[in-house]
Every structure is written in structure tokens, then in C-alpha cells.
Amino acid sequence: MLTHSTPIKASSNPLEHIAHRDAVTNLPNRFLLADRVRQALYQCQRRKQSLAMAYIDLDGLKAITATYGPALCDEFLIAITQRMKVVLREGDTLARIGIEEFVAVLVDLDAPQDCEPVLSRLVAVASEPATIKGRRLSVNASIGVTLTPDGVVDVDLLLRHADQALYHERAMGKSRYQLFDLDLNAAGAF
């Protein structure tokens, strides 16, 4: 479960840093992500705006690790992470929640379509090849996205919806994004 009851404050304590950050990318981990999403949800409610949660899967990262080793893969992962961070807007959050999985939280959306340019850029930069130690490496980025329905503050529900949209997107093709559709989900299409 991703929920957490009190906001996490920045700390100079190395153990707290390790507990809240991914060791390779230094991005927020699943625990810190829950806190950031909850804060962003309350902020969006106050401002009467939406939030988008994008579940990003880098397909092919495990093959890079198997072929070239974890050290080279970590360098590649850091390069992709830096590119993804550049296309996000101020106030957005990027977190690493698994070996190949990231979550981007896009805030301050006046309309649902406001997230689409950022999502397109995320797919493009994550799928773009990078040369690490003379080796040209690339992965496919698939993204499942959910938008906050009115009044929803359940981080786990948003993550499940984004994951369902990701699963649907991967069945349709790769290197794209797919928005979660509550009506299609109720009809069993998601």
C-alpha cells in the first residue's frame, strides 16, 4: 500500500535519504512518491485542477543488464532519468518504483489534454537511444496514464488505474501512452 499519514520532510539523515530515494537514480522511491502524490492531490483539489499519474515501463532494460551487466545498465538508466526529468514541468515529480518502472506525477492541469504534450515528450526521450561506453543502447517506453476524478485522494487506486492503462497500451503496441478510461474499465475493456 502506498498511503502514508504524515508528510515527509527533507532530511540530512543518510538513512532517511536511503529509505526515500532510489539508490541508482536518486529519484523518489515508492514510499516518497505516495507522500508527494497525496500532497499534490490536495493541492489540485484546492486549485480545482487535475493531476495525471503516468506509469512508465522501460521495456528492454532487463535485456541490457543481462547483456552488458548492471553497471552499464545503471549508467544508461541515469541518462534516461535525466532526459525524463528535463521534459517535466516545475512541480511535477518523477519516481522510480521498480527495476523498469517509473511514475511521473503531472500537476496543475486545467484540462485533461494539458498532460498530452508532456506525455509525448516522455515517450520520445525515454525511447531515444543513448551511447554509454561506446555502446548504443535503447529501450521502448510504454506509458499508462490516469487522471484524477473529482475528490479522489487514493494513491493506490490511481496507481492501479495507471498500471491498467499501461497493460492495455502494451497490448496495443509500444512507445506510446494510453489514458485510463473509467467507462471502458467498468465495461471490462480495461
Side-chain angles (χ1 to χ4, degrees), residues 59 140-144 163-180 184 189-190:
D59 187 40
N140 291 312
S142 299
I143 303 177
D163 188 35
Q164 287 174 318
L166 172 65
Y167 181 78
H168 186 71
E169 189 282 329
R170 290 184 80 187
M172 307 268 304
K174 295 183 180 180
S175 296
R176 303 173 343 139
Y177 66 88
Q178 173 69 48
L179 293 172
F180 178 80
L184 287 177
F190 255 101

Side-chain angles (χ1 to χ4, degrees), residues 77-172:
L77 190 57
I78 290 166
I80 289 176
T81 298
Q82 293 306 315
R83 287 190 284 191
M84 288 193 293
K85 285 170 55 177
V86 166
V87 301
L88 294 178
R89 302 158 308 141
E90 186 176 336
D92 294 342
T93 296
L94 181 64
R96 184 174 183 209
I97 63 168
I99 294 170
E100 296 182 334
E101 295 91 21
F102 293 79
V103 170
V105 180
L106 312 178
V107 297
D108 300 330
L109 304 173
D110 292 319
Q113 62 271 21
D114 291 350
C115 68
E116 293 179 6
V118 177
L119 296 171
S120 294
R121 289 191 305 264
L122 277 172
V123 168
V125 299
S127 299
E128 188 177 296
T131 302
I132 308 294
K133 294 186 178 174
R135 302 197 186 278
R136 187 171 165 89
L137 307 171
S138 64
V139 293
N140 291 312
S142 299
I143 303 177
V145 184
T146 190
L147 298 165
T148 52
D150 292 336
V152 170
V153 293
D154 185 342
V155 177
D156 291 321
L157 178 64
L158 292 173
L159 194 57
R160 277 194 309 275
H161 285 177
D163 188 35
Q164 287 174 318
L166 172 65
Y167 181 78
H168 186 71
E169 189 282 329
R170 290 184 80 187
M172 307 268 304

